[in-house]
Amino acid sequence: MEDRAQGGMTALLARATIADVRADEALQVAIDDVFLPDAARLDDRTRLGVTLLLDDLANGIAATVRRHAARLLTARDESALAERLAVSGGGETGRALASAGLLRDAQLMREIVGRVRQDVIAEALPAMAREDPDASSLLPRLLYHADPVVGKSAAALLGAESRRRIGGPVGAPLASDLPAEVHRRLVWINAAAVRDQFAKAAGAALPALDRALAEAAMRSIATHDEGERLEAVALRLAAALDPNPGERATLLVEALFDRRLALFIAVIAQGLGLDHPDTRDIVLDPNGERLWLLLRALDLDRATIARIGFSLGEADPRRDLDGFAEMLDTIVAIDPLAARQALAPLLLHRDYRAALTAFARSQQRSALTWDWTA
């Protein structure tokens, strides 16, 4: 009785210590939340969309790795463990990775938040009057373009949009539609999470489980085709169209009319030689200053910029429509050549830009330290 009481007391003290640490962490989170600027907060719809997408991606990749590992274990006479992996329900992996903080990856979250915000804004884009009311929607019309490359690219974009929009049931194998490097990291941490989930049940077969999970992860990475991502397909269509300045203005407006925001972003990126992620960040930024610079660098006229600005403003409540209206003359007055020169840093390699930023920040910190000690 005394031993049990002593053991219970020890366990209770340990739980109390953990609870104390958690309470302190919760307080720090609450403090961060209180002082977070409103402009930096995710709205409820975007937050929910990010949470659901992260969960679906994690559980879907885990299911793919788990099921292929189960096939490998079956072939290696580990049928009992293989059966456990094959019949296990989905849903646990995403929560486990989130709780462990393993989804706090800047590149992953940039992609997820950007994708969700793009979808939210695209759905909210207002209807605009077509110049030709009888004209069909943009992508179905491009399917029958005189250039077969354009037609195939339009069909591929329709397919990519459908795959991303429809998805599949929670826990089912799916294509992540992520950049290759982000997909690779997510696959490995999912494989580790599956290993943690089944390590105890594996017992003496743990080495076999490790080998099977590693091979299944490498298979998922090897079969991932970054070229089939929605963004990559949209860029190929923009390149196939290769519009001149007048055609580009019409194409951008039509893309917004049809809520094809991925194509809208791709047409801008193709016209200026920018990366799609950089262009998406600029288009989705509610402040808009960089977007107006992009549009002038493309030499778009006042009417086109106005239609784009007001459409995005109506779709995104964070944007200042009155401020945009007051700035319109100033925006149009910007010389396209000057706008392109101002955008030159965005044409540098992303890693080089990141290194330049890190170096500049380190110099600023050194200067502050020197001033303080002086």
Side-chain angles (χ1 to χ4, degrees), residues 7 18 72 86 136:
I18 293 172
L72 293 174
S136 60

Side-chain angles (χ1 to χ4, degrees), residues 36-92:
L36 187 67
D38 289 340
R41 292 181 183 276
L42 295 178
D43 61 87
D44 291 341
R45 185 177 180 187
T46 302
R47 182 185 296 275
L48 177 62
V50 167
T51 301
L52 293 176
L53 181 54
L54 276 174
D55 204 45
D56 284 349
L57 285 173
N59 291 327
I61 289 175
T64 302
V65 170
R66 195 180 65 243
R67 290 171 187 177
H68 185 65
R71 289 195 292 271
L72 293 174
L73 288 168
T74 299
R76 296 166 186 174
D77 296 327
E78 295 288 353
S79 56
L81 181 56
E83 186 176 355
R84 281 179 177 271
L85 262 69
V87 302
S88 176
E92 305 89 352

Side-chain angles (χ1 to χ4, degrees), residues 246-259:
E247 294 169 337
R248 184 177 291 112
T250 302
L251 185 57
L252 288 170
V253 171
E254 281 203 85
L256 284 184
F257 182 93
D258 288 343
R259 298 187 171 97

Side-chain angles (χ1 to χ4, degrees), residues 213-225:
L213 288 175
E215 290 179 31
M218 288 187 288
R219 175 180 180 270
S220 176
I221 293 168
T223 56
H224 179 70
D225 188 354

Side-chain angles (χ1 to χ4, degrees), residues 19-302:
D20 190 49
V21 173
R22 286 177 178 168
D24 183 68
E25 291 175 348
L27 176 61
Q28 293 302 318
V29 171
I31 292 171
D32 291 341
D33 184 67
V34 167
F35 291 101
L36 187 67
D38 289 340
R41 292 181 183 276
L42 295 178
D43 61 87
D44 291 341
R45 185 177 180 187
T46 302
R47 182 185 296 275
L48 177 62
V50 167
T51 301
L52 293 176
L53 181 54
L54 276 174
D55 204 45
D56 284 349
L57 285 173
N59 291 327
I61 289 175
T64 302
V65 170
R66 195 180 65 243
R67 290 171 187 177
H68 185 65
R71 289 195 292 271
L72 293 174
L73 288 168
T74 299
R76 296 166 186 174
D77 296 327
E78 295 288 353
S79 56
L81 181 56
E83 186 176 355
R84 281 179 177 271
L85 262 69
V87 302
S88 176
E92 305 89 352
T93 309
R95 291 190 294 270
L97 292 177
S99 299
L102 294 176
L103 297 179
R104 293 175 176 268
D105 178 272
Q107 284 186 288
L108 171 63
M109 291 307 298
R110 182 194 190 198
E111 180 65 26
I112 299 304
V113 173
R115 186 188 297 187
V116 171
R117 277 183 168 155
Q118 177 178 302
D119 290 344
V120 169
I121 292 174
E123 290 176 9
L125 283 169
M128 294 186 290
R130 291 183 184 275
E131 294 181 5
D132 180 3
D134 297 326
S136 60
S137 297
L138 177 60
L139 284 187
R141 192 168 74 249
L142 291 178
L143 291 175
Y144 303 99
H145 196 278
D147 185 345
V149 175
V150 172
K152 290 180 181 179
S153 299
L157 183 56
L158 284 170
E161 287 181 338
S162 178
R163 287 193 301 272
R164 180 171 289 185
R165 183 174 61 252
I166 296 173
V170 174
L174 82 167
S176 71
D177 218 25
L178 291 170
E181 180 60 24
V182 177
H183 176 81
R184 184 186 68 81
R185 290 201 298 270
L186 195 55
V187 167
W188 284 119
I189 62 173
N190 270 281
V194 173
R195 197 257 195 197
D196 181 73
Q197 182 183 354
F198 291 94
K200 186 175 180 180
L206 184 57
L209 175 64
D210 283 332
R211 287 194 300 274
L213 288 175
E215 290 179 31
M218 288 187 288
R219 175 180 180 270
S220 176
I221 293 168
T223 56
H224 179 70
D225 188 354
E226 192 175 32
E228 294 304 312
R229 297 181 63 233
L230 173 62
E231 293 75 14
V233 176
L235 280 172
R236 287 203 297 272
L237 176 56
L241 289 167
D242 192 22
N244 60 42
E247 294 169 337
R248 184 177 291 112
T250 302
L251 185 57
L252 288 170
V253 171
E254 281 203 85
L256 284 184
F257 182 93
D258 288 343
R259 298 187 171 97
R260 309 282 183 185
L261 197 53
L263 180 58
F264 174 85
I265 294 168
V267 171
I268 295 176
Q270 183 271 338
L272 294 171
L274 299 176
D275 287 340
H276 192 285
D278 288 334
T279 310
R280 180 178 63 192
D281 289 348
I282 292 173
V283 169
L284 299 181
D285 182 0
N287 292 319
E289 290 89 349
R290 295 180 299 167
L291 175 58
W292 315 141
L293 204 60
L294 291 186
L295 299 184
R296 282 305 293 149
L298 291 171
D299 201 11
L300 298 183
D301 58 35
R302 179 192 178 92

